């Protein structure tokens, strides 16, 4: 599944000159260049800040029906995401996803485009809904972006995330049907 940008930037589905497609092994260096600073900052993802490159790669690349994907602009990886079942067994019909954007491309609708791609891919894979388990409440841009994409906040777990500069802040559980 590939989504090439056209003229729907307002919906967050695409940004000009952007191609979103499944990731390949050749994309990993560009993906790691985005993931590593986000992981090390520790302010938006619940990953251990000392996660190694090998651990990150194993965690980001998922077996079907999951997938890792990239946003390419020109020849540069400018964003990446991953999609997988939120739970196993009886909960495997609900997807979960995560996205990271290169800081030079933040605020341009790229995260929404990655989200739109993952919603389409999840639906195509047979998932019935998508749930985000841990949206850091101080990441107000992400919360607003996911709400604009149709997600609702089901709950905020108080002080569930130890932010490196703000201390303990809440984690939001967000959900939408596909």
């Amino acid at each position: 599944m590939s989504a090439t940008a056209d003229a729907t930037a307002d919906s967050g589905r695409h940004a000009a000159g952007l191609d979103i497609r499944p990731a390949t092994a050749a994309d990993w260096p560009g993906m790691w260049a985005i993931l590593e600073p986000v992981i090390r900052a520790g302010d938006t993802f619940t990953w251990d800040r000392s996660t190694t490159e090998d651990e990150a790669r194993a965690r980001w690349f998922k077996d079907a029906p999951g997938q890792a994907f990239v946003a390419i602009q020109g020849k540069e990886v400018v964003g990446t995401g991953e999609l997988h079942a939120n739970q196993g067994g009886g909960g495997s019909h609900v997807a979960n996803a995560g996205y990271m954007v290169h800081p030079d491309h933040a605020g341009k609708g790229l995260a929404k485009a990655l989200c739109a791609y993952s919603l389409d891919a999840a639906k195509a894979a047979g998932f019935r809904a998508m749930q985000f388990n841990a949206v850091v409440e101080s990441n107000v841009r992400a919360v607003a972006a996911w709400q604009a994409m149709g997600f609702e906040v089901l709950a905020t777990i108080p002080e569930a995330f130890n932010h490196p500069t703000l201390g303990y802040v809440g984690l939001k559980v967000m959900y939408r049907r596909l």
Side-chain angles (χ1 to χ4, degrees):
M1 175 183 275
S2 181
T4 302
D6 49 23
T8 55
D10 288 341
S11 73
R13 186 169 296 282
H14 305 290
L18 188 67
D19 183 46
I20 301 177
R21 61 164 174 73
T24 67
D27 295 319
W28 180 250
M31 295 164 70
W32 180 239
I34 294 168
L35 270 69
E36 185 177 26
V38 172
I39 293 166
R40 301 290 176 253
D43 58 357
T44 58
F45 266 70
T46 59
W47 290 26
D48 187 311
R49 293 169 77 180
S50 64
T51 298
T52 68
E53 182 176 359
D54 288 340
E55 290 167 340
R57 185 180 183 137
R59 190 168 176 179
W60 205 249
F61 278 92
K62 307 291 184 191
D63 292 330
Q67 70 169 259
F69 46 96
V70 290
I72 305 291
Q73 198 160 44
K75 294 184 180 191
E76 179 186 7
V77 176
V78 296
T80 183
E82 59 83 22
L83 166 71
H84 62 278
N86 190 50
Q87 302 291 332
S92 63
H93 61 283
V94 177
N96 184 285
Y99 322 98
M100 295 188 196
V101 173
H102 190 284
D104 291 347
H105 297 274
K108 299 178 182 177
L110 184 52
K112 285 183 180 179
L114 289 165
C115 181
Y117 174 90
S118 72
L119 292 169
D120 289 345
K123 189 171 186 175
F127 290 106
R128 296 174 46 101
M130 186 172 291
Q131 176 178 323
F132 298 149
N133 300 320
V135 181
V136 178
E137 80 177 335
S138 59
N139 189 354
V140 295
R141 276 192 356 200
V143 173
W146 309 150
Q147 287 175 320
M149 297 297 294
F151 285 82
E152 62 181 296
V153 175
L154 299 180
T156 301
I157 304 155
E159 299 184 350
F161 184 76
N162 190 2
H163 190 283
T165 58
L166 301 175
Y168 293 100
V169 298
L171 284 177
K172 296 188 178 295
V173 177
M174 301 182 78
Y175 170 89
R176 72 162 273 182
R177 287 194 171 105
L178 299 178

